[in-house]
Structures are given as structure tokens and as C-alpha cells.
Amino acid sequence: MQDAASFAPGLVDVIGRLPYRLQLAGGWIDQPFVSLHNPEPPGSMVVVSLEPTVRYMDRCGMATGTRATAASLWGDALPAGTGRLELVRTLYAAENAGLAEPSGSQDMCGIIFPGVSRLDYDASVDGGWFPSHVESTCDPEVARWLERVLHMVPVAPRPPGYGPLGVKRLDPEWVRRLGQSGKDCYDAVVRQDVAALGASMNDCSRCWDAILPHTLEHPTIGIDLKGLLAAYESRYDGAMYSGCGGGYLVVASDEEVPGSFRVSVRTG
């Protein structure tokens, strides 16, 4: 859990001190058009707040756009003395003003809530736009474990012209499984169970492919994302992409993963 200033002196002068956000299993359940079809609400997803120890690529599912909006609102530090959910709503409103397809509130939650958080979404609460409940851990032991077993493999940013919503197959059972993958993921992190963590990530990827197939396959994508994902899933405990259309492959493993780097979890 290195902060950016100690990790690389001078780096934060270039990329800023605001955290980044990594999503793990359950992503898309934060969108009401998905959670509305969940027969067993709430469904959950997991976000991890990251120290800025590297400049994460844009258009890679790391909430860089949300981070830029936060910087325009608050400068180089999150406001003190304001409730976290209030900050989430403020940031959400600023980023999504006038957008026909707003980003999910998980982007804001992962930047503002420290540590590892399970976000529960229920379409009957706030229309499903904001979590009905947030469960977080900033346990240093859990954070150190997660830093050890998560490996980030750069793949490619989502290409120009890409969009994930061209095909929607919102089968309730797959949506239920998506929301369950987030619950399983958070439980695995708290238990420090890498096999269960990997299984939840693999299941999330299957759900994405079932309900929103353009998440992993699209005419603008020139990489075989599904084939690459399958190769890592077969070799390690689990894998998933950091966002729709590519980005980074997030691999769960006790082993070293060639070509990868590790994250630093922000716990305070």
C-alpha cells in the first residue's frame, strides 16, 4: 500500500494525487437498465480505490474520465468534511449532465470510497442510479493480499467508434448471476481466497458476454478479446477485463504473470 508520493517522487506532480478506480466482478449491475431485470435484488459489484502509482490509460475502464471531472470540481484532493455518498452524487451530476447514456455511479464510488467496496444496487431504490448500500473494507491485511494476487496486463484502449450497448439480452437469470458475482467477489476478497476471487471474475465475464455481447466483441475491436481472456482463464485462477471493449486484463493468481504490473490499494 504505497502512496504515490513515496512510490515515485515527482509522479503526482504530473498525474495528480486523486485516486483511480478498478472494477472487479459485477460491473453493469450499477446501470438501472440492467438492475431492473434482477429477480433477486440487490445485485452487487466490487470496486477498488487505487493510489495513483501509475498513469492508467484513458478509455480502459479505469474511471479516468470521472477522475478528470473530480479534478475540475475539487482540484487535486477529495473534499474533507463531506459525506462520501454526497460526494458521489455531486460528481455523478457533474459528469453526466445532459448525457443520454450516463456512466454508472460505480465510477464515482470507486474514487471516493477508500479500500475495497461492495456496491449493492436495487432498481427500486433511487431508481437504481445509486447504491442502496455500500460495504467497505480498509483492512491493511486484505489490501496487501489483494495487491499481491491482482496482476494488470495492458491490452488496448477501447477503439474510436466503439459502443457496448448495440445488443442487449437482459435475461433475468444472467442478470441475477451478474449481481451474485459481485457478492461472491467481495466475500472472496475479505476471506483472501484467490480461487474464489478468480471464479467470481470468470463468472462476471460470462455474464457480460451473455447480456451485453458487445462488451467483449464488436466490429471496431481488432483484437480477439474473448480468445485472449480464455487463455488467461485457463492458466490462472481467473481473469476479466478492466472495462468494456478491452483496457487491461485483470488476472487473479498467486503466481507471477509475465508482462503485468501490480496495483496499490488506497486505504485512507
Side-chain angles (χ1 to χ4, degrees), residues 186-255:
Y186 186 78
D187 290 346
V189 170
V190 172
R191 295 198 316 269
Q192 301 178 43
D193 184 335
V194 69
L197 172 60
S200 73
M201 294 163 64
N202 292 343
D203 201 38
C204 178
S205 296
R206 295 186 191 101
C207 293
W208 285 358
D209 194 35
I211 67 173
L212 294 169
H214 284 182
T215 296
L216 298 175
E217 204 168 29
H218 189 271
T220 63
I221 298 174
I223 301 169
D224 183 3
L225 294 181
K226 291 172 70 173
L228 189 61
L229 176 65
Y232 279 86
E233 286 179 335
S234 68
R235 174 66 179 82
Y236 301 103
D237 291 287
M240 65 182 295
Y241 285 101
S242 58
C244 56
Y248 299 88
L249 257 176
V250 187
V251 181
S253 177
D254 273 322
E255 303 175 43

Side-chain angles (χ1 to χ4, degrees), residues 111-196:
I111 286 175
I112 290 167
F113 282 84
V116 183
S117 297
R118 191 194 75 217
L119 313 177
D120 299 339
Y121 286 90
D122 184 333
S124 70
V125 179
D126 272 334
W129 296 107
F130 299 98
S132 59
H133 176 73
V134 178
E135 188 78 21
S136 297
T137 178
C138 291
D139 185 330
E141 191 173 306
V142 170
R144 283 194 297 269
W145 174 81
L146 193 61
E147 291 170 348
R148 183 172 59 80
V149 302
L150 283 187
H151 309 262
M152 303 286 285
V153 180
V155 178
R158 58 184 183 268
Y162 168 79
L165 303 181
V167 178
K168 299 176 183 176
R169 299 170 181 157
L170 301 173
D171 177 80
E173 175 57 19
W174 280 109
V175 173
R176 184 201 65 78
R177 281 183 62 177
L178 177 68
Q180 184 62 46
S181 75
K183 296 173 185 175
D184 294 343
C185 181
Y186 186 78
D187 290 346
V189 170
V190 172
R191 295 198 316 269
Q192 301 178 43
D193 184 335
V194 69

